[in-house]
Amino acid sequence: MYRYNDFDTAFLAERNAQFRQQVERRIDGSLTEEEFRPLRLMNGLYLQLHAYMLRVAIPYGTLNSGQMRQLALIAEKFDKGYGHFTTRQNIQYNWPKLPDVPDILDALGEVQLHAIQTSGNTIRNVTADHFAGAAADEIADPRPVAELIRQWSTDHPEFQFLPRKFKFAVTGSPNDRAVTRAHDIGVRMVRNAAGEPGYEILVGGGLGRTPMIGKVIRDFLPPEDLLPYLEAIVSVYNVLGRRDNKYKARIKITVHENGLDTYRERVEARFAEIKPLFSGVDQQMLREIEDHFAAPAFRNAPTDAYDAARDANPAFRAWSDTNLAEHKANGYAIVTVSLKKHGDTPGDATAEQMRVLADLGEKYSHDELRISHEQNAILPHVHKSDLPAVYAALREAGLATANVGLISDIIACPGMDYCALATARSIPVAQEIAQRFDDLKLEHDIGPLKLKISGCINACGHHHVGHIGILGLDRAGVENYQITLGGDGTETAEIGSRTGPGFAYDEITDAIERIVLAYLDLRESPEETFLMAYRRVGADPFKAALYPEDKGKSRAA
C-alpha cells in the first residue's frame, strides 16, 4: 500500500494545525457556526442531528493492521466505542466532541489517514474495487491509479469549489464491483483490440434525486493520457456546471443538459490545451506509486486443512460458500467479513471487532485489509490452510455471519437515527428485514439478492441500484417507504423501477417478504437469481404480489 513521503507528512501536519486553530476560534466565539461551516466541511466534520460527525477517508478502501487499530482506538477514546463504515469506503464517527476533533485528526495523521475532502463541493474519497490486488479476474490492480487521482485531486486549487460534490470510482476488472457507472467519473481498466492496456472513461453517473447511469465519453484512453483527460473533464464541469440550483448542479445534469457529444467536444478541446502541460511527471509519479503496491510474497502450501474443515463443519462450509471469493494466487482466497450480523446495524464495527480484524489481517492476510462500498471488511490474501483458524476467530468475535451477497447483507445509510437530511429511518428497517429472513431460514435458498435502503432522496444507501431498493420518505410527517425493483450496480448497471405507492414503517418488511416469496414461486430453477427472474418476467408478477387487490385500490400514492 502507499506510504507517505516527507511532503505528505508535512502537508497533513500543516492542515491539521490550521484546523486546530479554526476549532479554537469556533470554541472561543471568534467564528460563528456559519463561518465555521465551510472550514469544518473541508476537514470532514459535519453537524448531524445530535452531535458532530467526523468522516474519515479510507483511500480506495485499503488499510493495514496498524491503521485499523488506530481507528479502534479513536472509536474507544473519542466516540462511543464503534465506527460506521460507509458506501464510499469511509469510516464515520457519530459522536465526537468538537474540542477533541483536532486530536482525532492528529491521531489519524500518525497512521497516514485523514479526513480531507470527505465532504464539501470538491473531489471526494476515490473508491475502488474492494478485491483490488487480489481478484482473479482483474486486468491490473487499480489502486495505483486511484492513488494517483487522490494525490492529484487533494487540495487541487481549481477544484476546491466545484458546483457540487464529485466522486470517482476505479476498477481493474471487467466484473464491476466498484459501481463505476453510478459515479461522476468511472475509470475502468480495459484492453484494446491489440491487447494494449488502457481505460474506458464513464461520465455523468450518479444516484440521488435524479439517478442516471454514466455514459462512455472515451472507450479507450491510453495510460499516459489519463490524468490530463480527467482534469479536462472536471475543468469543463467547473465551467459549465450550474450553480443556480444545487439539485441541478451535479455533472450528470451538466452532461444531460448539454448532451454527451457537446460535452465530449468541450472536453477534447480542453484536453488538447492542457495535455502539453503534463510533461510526464504524472507518469513518473504513477511508476513510483506502483512500487508501493507490489504483490505480497504468496506461499505455496497444501490446502488439506481447508478441505477437511469443509467436510467436517457444515457452518464453516456455509460460510466459505458465501464469504469467500476466488484469488489470483493458487491456494489463496479473498475473505469478506460480514458487518451485517442479523439484527445489528449494517456497517457498524466495535473497537474490539476492529482489533480482531487488525490481528487477523496482520497474521493471515499479509497485513492488508479492505473496506467495501457494501459496508463489509475484506481480508484480501488468506491462504486456504488458514481459513479454519480465521473462521474460528471471526466466530468468537461475532463476525462470522455467512450472508455475503444474500438478502440480509443490506446496504443502509444511517437514516433518521443520525442524519440531519434524512426523512425516514433506515437502520431499524434493515435490522427487521434481516431478522425476518433469518427467522424464515430462507436466505440461502433465495440466493444472491442485493437489497439497499436509503433514508432520503440523496440515496446514500444506493437503493436505485439494488435488486430491491427501498427509499424512505416523509409523507405529511409519516414515514413512507417506496420500493424499486431491478436495479443493478455492476457492469450491466440499471436504475431500478418504482413499483407503485409506498408502505408504512410497519408494512415494509411484510411487503419485502411478499416480493421474495413471489420470486421463489416464479424462478425456473435455483440457479435463476432474483435479478435474472425479474429481467425475464418483468415487474407485473411482483407488483401483483406486492399490491393484492383488496389493499391496492385504497392506497394513496
Side-chain angles (χ1 to χ4, degrees):
M1 64 184 297
Y2 181 74
R3 305 284 181 176
Y4 280 19
N5 58 27
D6 291 343
F7 173 84
D8 299 321
T9 302
F11 170 82
L12 186 56
E14 182 179 352
R15 277 292 299 258
N16 289 350
Q18 289 173 353
F19 190 59
R20 181 178 292 276
Q21 293 176 344
Q22 292 161 358
V23 169
E24 290 170 353
R25 290 163 62 204
R26 174 68 191 106
I27 291 171
D28 70 20
S30 301
L31 289 174
T32 65
E33 178 57 38
E34 184 178 356
E35 292 168 332
F36 182 56
R37 183 176 183 273
L39 302 175
R40 62 172 168 78
L41 289 176
M42 289 178 183
N43 292 278
L45 189 63
Y46 285 76
L47 186 58
Q48 298 278 64
L49 278 177
H50 312 295
Y52 284 102
M53 178 270 282
L54 182 67
R55 179 181 294 152
V56 177
I58 300 172
Y60 34 89
T62 293
L63 287 167
N64 61 31
S65 58
Q67 290 170 327
M68 184 66 91
R69 290 191 184 99
Q70 192 76 331
L71 295 180
L73 177 66
I74 290 168
E76 207 165 57
K77 184 176 181 180
F78 298 108
D79 206 281
K80 294 190 175 183
Y82 70 95
H84 177 73
F85 293 104
T86 79
T87 55
R88 290 216 57 73
Q89 297 176 316
N90 298 309
I91 184 171
Q92 293 183 176
Y93 295 106
N94 289 312
W95 302 99
K97 295 180 173 61
L98 181 58
D100 291 335
V101 173
D103 291 337
I104 297 174
L105 296 181
D106 284 345
L108 291 169
E110 292 172 5
V111 293
Q112 303 183 1
L113 291 173
H114 63 72
I116 298 168
Q117 293 183 201
T118 58
S119 56
N121 292 339
T122 186
I123 295 171
R124 301 287 185 89
N125 184 34
V126 179
T127 60
D129 181 355
H130 43 274
F131 293 166
D137 60 2
E138 73 180 9
I139 295 170
D141 187 342
R143 292 176 301 159
V145 169
E147 173 62 26
L148 180 69
I149 296 171
R150 185 192 71 83
Q151 292 195 23
W152 158 77
S153 62
T154 302
D155 253 17
H156 193 302
E158 186 179 350
F159 304 142
Q160 292 308 295
F161 299 97
L162 293 170
R164 199 71 171 85
K165 58 187 175 181
F166 203 93
K167 300 176 181 180
F168 278 84
V170 186
T171 183
S173 169
N175 300 300
D176 188 359
R177 289 177 289 267
V179 205
T180 58
R181 297 180 186 274
H183 281 74
D184 298 287
I185 293 180
V187 179
R188 302 183 67 239
M189 293 182 171
V190 294
R191 293 188 184 276
N192 63 13
E196 299 166 326
Y199 308 101
E200 178 187 76
I201 308 299
L202 302 147
V203 67
L207 304 179
R209 188 174 297 269
T210 311
M212 293 184 183
I213 297 299
K215 302 171 179 64
V216 177
I217 191 169
R218 268 285 195 111
D219 57 7
F220 184 82
L221 186 72
E224 62 270 17
D225 290 343
L226 179 64
L227 216 53
Y229 198 79
L230 296 181
E231 180 148 331
I233 293 175
V234 184
S235 60
V236 169
Y237 165 61
N238 204 19
V239 172
L240 293 183
R242 294 181 58 173
R243 287 177 164 84
D244 62 320
N245 184 334
K246 72 176 183 178
Y247 301 120
K248 297 182 179 181
R250 297 292 293 270
I251 192 174
K252 60 188 176 184
I253 303 298
T254 307
V255 172
H256 177 72
E257 290 184 341
N258 290 273
L260 179 62
D261 291 341
T262 298
Y263 196 87
R264 183 187 287 116
E265 289 173 7
R266 294 285 294 261
V267 169
E268 295 291 345
R270 178 64 177 155
F271 173 62
E273 289 176 356
I274 64 176
K275 183 179 177 181
L277 304 178
F278 284 74
S279 60
V281 173
D282 56 318
Q283 291 303 297
Q284 179 183 336
M285 288 179 62
L286 180 58
R287 287 190 293 271
E288 292 172 357
I289 289 168
E290 286 172 338
D291 291 340
H292 292 259
F293 292 90
F298 297 122
R299 75 180 197 267
N300 187 12
T303 61
D304 297 350
Y306 167 70
D307 298 328
R310 278 183 57 86
D311 290 339
N313 187 342
F316 175 78
R317 186 188 314 118
W319 174 81
S320 61
D321 284 344
T322 55
N323 292 40
L324 301 185
E326 186 179 2
H327 197 283
K328 65 182 180 181
N330 187 44
Y332 276 76
I334 303 169
V335 178
T336 299
V337 180
S338 173
L339 300 181
K340 315 284 181 61
K341 184 178 179 181
H342 302 101
D344 285 359
T345 300
D348 275 11
T350 66
E352 187 53 40
Q353 287 174 330
M354 290 185 221
R355 290 193 182 97
V356 169
L357 290 169
D359 291 345
L360 291 175
E362 185 173 55
K363 187 173 183 180
Y364 297 113
S365 187
H366 297 271
D367 200 26
E368 288 191 37
L369 300 106
R370 309 270 194 274
I371 300 301
S372 74
H373 82 271
E374 296 179 322
Q375 300 176 290
N376 289 319
I378 318 294
L379 299 170
H381 310 297
V382 181
H383 195 274
K384 288 183 177 179
S385 63
D386 292 326
L387 286 169
V390 169
Y391 173 73
L394 290 173
R395 186 165 184 171
E396 186 175 345
L399 291 169
T401 305
N403 67 341
V404 171
L406 304 182
I407 193 169
S408 64
D409 184 13
I410 298 169
I411 288 179
C413 70
M416 210 160 56
D417 288 297
Y418 295 99
C419 182
L421 301 176
T423 48
R425 290 169 289 176
S426 297
I427 292 171
V429 173
Q431 291 170 323
E432 186 172 328
I433 292 171
Q435 194 62 57
R436 170 71 62 87
F437 284 95
D438 185 46
D439 293 342
L440 292 172
K441 304 303 177 189
L442 277 177
E443 61 180 336
H444 286 270
D445 186 32
I446 295 164
L449 200 164
K450 303 286 189 182
L451 195 153
K452 309 176 192 291
I453 304 174
S454 300
C456 80
I457 199 68
N458 290 312
C460 294
H462 292 192
H463 69 276
H464 293 296
V465 291
H467 302 164
I468 300 175
I470 300 173
L471 168 61
L473 297 170
D474 181 323
R475 291 283 189 251
V478 177
E479 290 166 297
N480 182 271
Y481 294 87
Q482 293 180 357
I483 295 174
T484 55
L485 297 177
D488 179 13
T490 70
E491 63 280 358
T492 56
E494 288 188 39
I495 301 299
S497 299
R498 183 181 165 191
T499 58
F503 295 86
Y505 175 81
D506 59 0
E507 298 174 325
I508 186 62
T509 301
D510 290 340
I512 299 302
E513 182 179 334
R514 292 198 297 276
I515 292 172
V516 173
L517 294 179
Y519 154 66
L520 293 175
D521 287 339
L522 287 164
R523 70 181 180 184
E524 293 183 330
S525 72
E527 288 69 42
E528 185 176 46
T529 66
F530 179 90
L531 187 59
M532 291 164 63
Y534 179 84
R535 288 175 172 174
R536 176 174 58 84
V537 303
D540 288 347
F542 294 98
K543 288 182 179 180
L546 194 55
Y547 302 107
E549 285 186 2
D550 58 336
K551 293 183 179 179
K553 292 178 181 178
S554 63
R555 283 189 178 276

